[in-house]
Amino acid sequence: MDILLERKSVRKYTKDEVKEEDLNYILKAAMSAPTARNTRCFSFIVVKDKETHKKIAQIHRAAQMVLEAPAAVLIVGDADIVFENYLPQDCGAAAQNMLLAATAKGYGSVWCGIYGNEGRMSEFSKLFELPENIKPFALVVIGKSADNNPPKNGWQPEKIKYEKWG
Ligand SMILES: Cc1cc2nc3c(=O)[nH]c(=O)nc-3n(C[C@H](O)[C@H](O)[C@H](O)COP(=O)(O)O)c2cc1C
């Protein structure tokens, strides 16, 4: 359970690679996420090519950390097979599983948002030559952490209400 509290967004990485077996574990964790009606509408594009990382940095100003990272994974969702409007929930669950699996394997990672930003979605669709039904959801950047900051303390008891809002 500790990995849940240890996870944090990491935006600085060492030069170490992400091992193939660890990347596969992270992808398996992503694919083990729940999806509405079990449509499993997500797919994953592993991106290690530095030229592509540079192009990503040009189209996503909050994803500059990809320039230093050994690997990134673009999570996409298939709008043709998803149940109702659950594409962002399905892909979001996969994204969170990836972050936790990366933490469990000793990597730092960060979720870079794409879905919901029309301009960004269009740029990523072009860059990765996605067909119309395949929607770019998020880029998860992964590498060995070079960030010693502790995770944020997420505990806010005032966020909890019992039985009703009031
Ligand atoms: C939907 C979503 C989009 C995000 N987009 C970005 C992003 O584009 N770039 C980035 O550096 N972090 C991004 N983050 C990470 C948040 O900034 C981060 O989770 C938040 O500041 C809390 O910090 P923590 O993850 O270390 O707990 C995103 C997170 C979510 C859930």
Side-chain angles (χ1 to χ4, degrees):
M1 284 301 276
D2 282 353
I3 57 155
L4 299 177
L5 305 182
E6 281 166 18
R7 186 215 58 82
K8 62 178 184 179
S9 292
V10 170
R11 302 179 178 89
K12 287 182 192 154
Y13 313 97
T14 69
K15 299 252 176 276
D16 296 307
E17 293 299 312
V18 181
K19 282 190 206 152
E20 200 62 25
E21 73 211 61
D22 293 339
L23 189 55
N24 282 337
Y25 176 85
I26 292 165
L27 291 166
K28 187 174 180 183
M31 289 179 211
S32 304
T35 60
R37 281 253 176 111
N38 195 27
T39 63
R40 307 174 58 75
C41 69
F42 38 53
S43 294
F44 307 89
I45 303 179
V46 176
V47 192
K48 294 185 178 174
D49 182 68
K50 289 320 291 178
E51 288 308 309
T52 309
H53 286 181
K54 280 184 202 160
K55 289 179 187 158
I56 289 171
Q58 283 163 9
I59 61 175
H60 195 324
R61 65 181 167 75
Q64 300 305 304
M65 78 297 282
V66 76
L67 295 170
E68 309 298 325
V73 177
L74 180 68
I75 305 173
V76 300
D78 187 336
D80 280 353
I81 66 166
V82 71
F83 178 60
E84 295 183 346
N85 291 325
Y86 289 111
L87 190 147
Q89 289 94 323
D90 290 355
C91 291
Q96 179 68 3
N97 272 14
M98 288 185 74
L99 304 182
L100 294 173
T103 309
K105 288 291 176 185
Y107 295 92
S109 60
V110 60
W111 172 332
C112 295
I114 300 171
Y115 195 85
N117 178 322
E118 293 293 334
R120 228 174 243 172
M121 289 178 74
S122 157
E123 297 273 23
F124 273 86
S125 295
K126 249 185 274 163
L127 181 57
F128 288 93
E129 300 173 9
L130 305 180
E132 185 55 31
N133 58 310
I134 302 297
K135 307 295 179 192
F137 176 75
L139 185 79
V140 174
V141 181
I142 309 168
K144 283 281 175 191
S145 175
D147 168 5
N148 293 323
N149 292 324
K152 295 180 181 69
N153 177 10
W155 176 238
Q156 281 182 286
E158 68 277 15
K159 296 271 185 196
I160 306 169
K161 298 187 185 292
Y162 294 93
E163 313 305 347
K164 287 191 180 176
W165 182 261

